[in-house]
Amino acid sequence: EIVLTQSPGTLSLSPGERATLSCRASQSVSSSYLAWYQQKPGQAPRLLIYGASSRATGIPDRFSGSGSGTDFTLTISRLEPEDFAVYYCQQYGSSPPIFGQGTRLEIK
Amino acid sequence: QVQLVQSGAEVKKPGASVKVSCKASGYTFTSYGISWVRQAPGQGLEWMGWISAYNGNTNYAQKLQGRVTMTTDTSTSTAYMELRSLRSDDTAVYYCARAPYYDFWSGRVGYFDYWGQGTLVTVSS
């Protein structure tokens, strides 16, 4: 079973800054089958990115995903106040689908 | 618009069972699968299993085999998840999520594009 390790655990930034979140897999993720989700307190997760770099429907273009193999990155180019949340990566290149432990993005 | 609306919060005693519903609208129910994902308080996300809304085929997480059953009712576009022999560590928010992709050869479940609002299940004596 693949293990996903997200870093950092918490990221403190200010609105307008650039955020870079990392997701590292214990073994190669087949065909870049990696997704990213955003979760705000008391809400369900929301799909942001699938296939490592494809934005989901309605996701602003300040969100971008990149990477392949074992190293993946979610970048938020200019943080808006509503972007402060917890972010999870998920691999679906092998069964079962596994989530990372999350990165909390907080306002500095 | 795609919506998944789940049933309300439940409080159960250890050893009991719980059945959570997830009513879908805004898309052709039988064209997609449904997965269930749970989140213990303050913790991350754990995939529980998948069901095809087309033919009822299932794929459960190994750790829940024998305790979980997922079903669908195509006449009402509703998916159900039943968890038996509840323990305190089953206390969590349970989410249903639409799964647009499933590989029948490998049993590989894809990503989850729409989610229900979540159902809190509390297991306490």
Side-chain angles (χ1 to χ4, degrees), chain B residues 21-84:
Chain B
S21 69
C22 169
K23 184 171 177 58
S25 61
Y27 71 97
T28 302
F29 183 64
T30 52
S31 294
Y32 294 82
I34 292 284
S35 265
W36 291 85
V37 176
R38 68 180 180 177
Q39 185 171 37
Q43 302 301 308
L45 301 165
E46 178 187 16
W47 177 76
M48 300 178 66
W50 169 92
I51 182 167
S52 166
Y54 174 71
N55 60 12
N57 284 350
T58 54
N59 179 359
Y60 299 139
Q62 192 167 11
K63 71 175 282 189
L64 296 174
Q65 289 272 3
R67 284 209 301 139
V68 68
T69 300
M70 297 176 187
T71 57
T72 59
D73 180 346
T74 57
S75 69
T76 60
S77 299
T78 302
Y80 298 91
M81 186 282 300
E82 181 179 33
L83 189 60
R84 299 177 293 280

Side-chain angles (χ1 to χ4, degrees), chain A:
Chain A
E1 205 170 278
I2 291 179
V3 175
L4 297 179
T5 302
Q6 294 188 238
S7 61
T10 301
L11 184 59
S12 300
L13 294 170
S14 301
E17 290 192 294
R18 180 186 187 89
T20 303
L21 286 68
S22 173
C23 176
R24 178 162 290 179
S26 59
Q27 54 189 281
S28 183
V29 176
S30 172
S31 303
S32 297
Y33 286 147
L34 189 109
W36 289 93
Y37 301 85
Q38 176 193 68
Q39 187 178 34
K40 297 180 181 179
Q43 296 186 17
R46 177 173 72 141
L47 176 67
L48 300 175
I49 301 287
Y50 62 94
S53 60
S54 297
R55 269 187 302 276
T57 303
I59 301 304
D61 60 8
R62 65 179 182 273
F63 291 91
S64 64
S66 63
S68 63
T70 60
D71 290 297
F72 298 88
T73 300
L74 175 70
T75 301
I76 311 172
S77 58
R78 281 180 59 85
L79 285 166
E80 297 287 343
E82 63 268 26
D83 298 336
F84 292 91
V86 178
Y87 292 82
Y88 294 95
C89 58
Q90 177 226 336
Q91 75 82 24
Y92 53 98
S94 61
S95 187
I98 296 291
F99 294 89
Q101 85 281 13
T103 289
R104 179 177 305 276
L105 177 57
E106 64 176 27
I107 299 177
K108 188 173 183 179

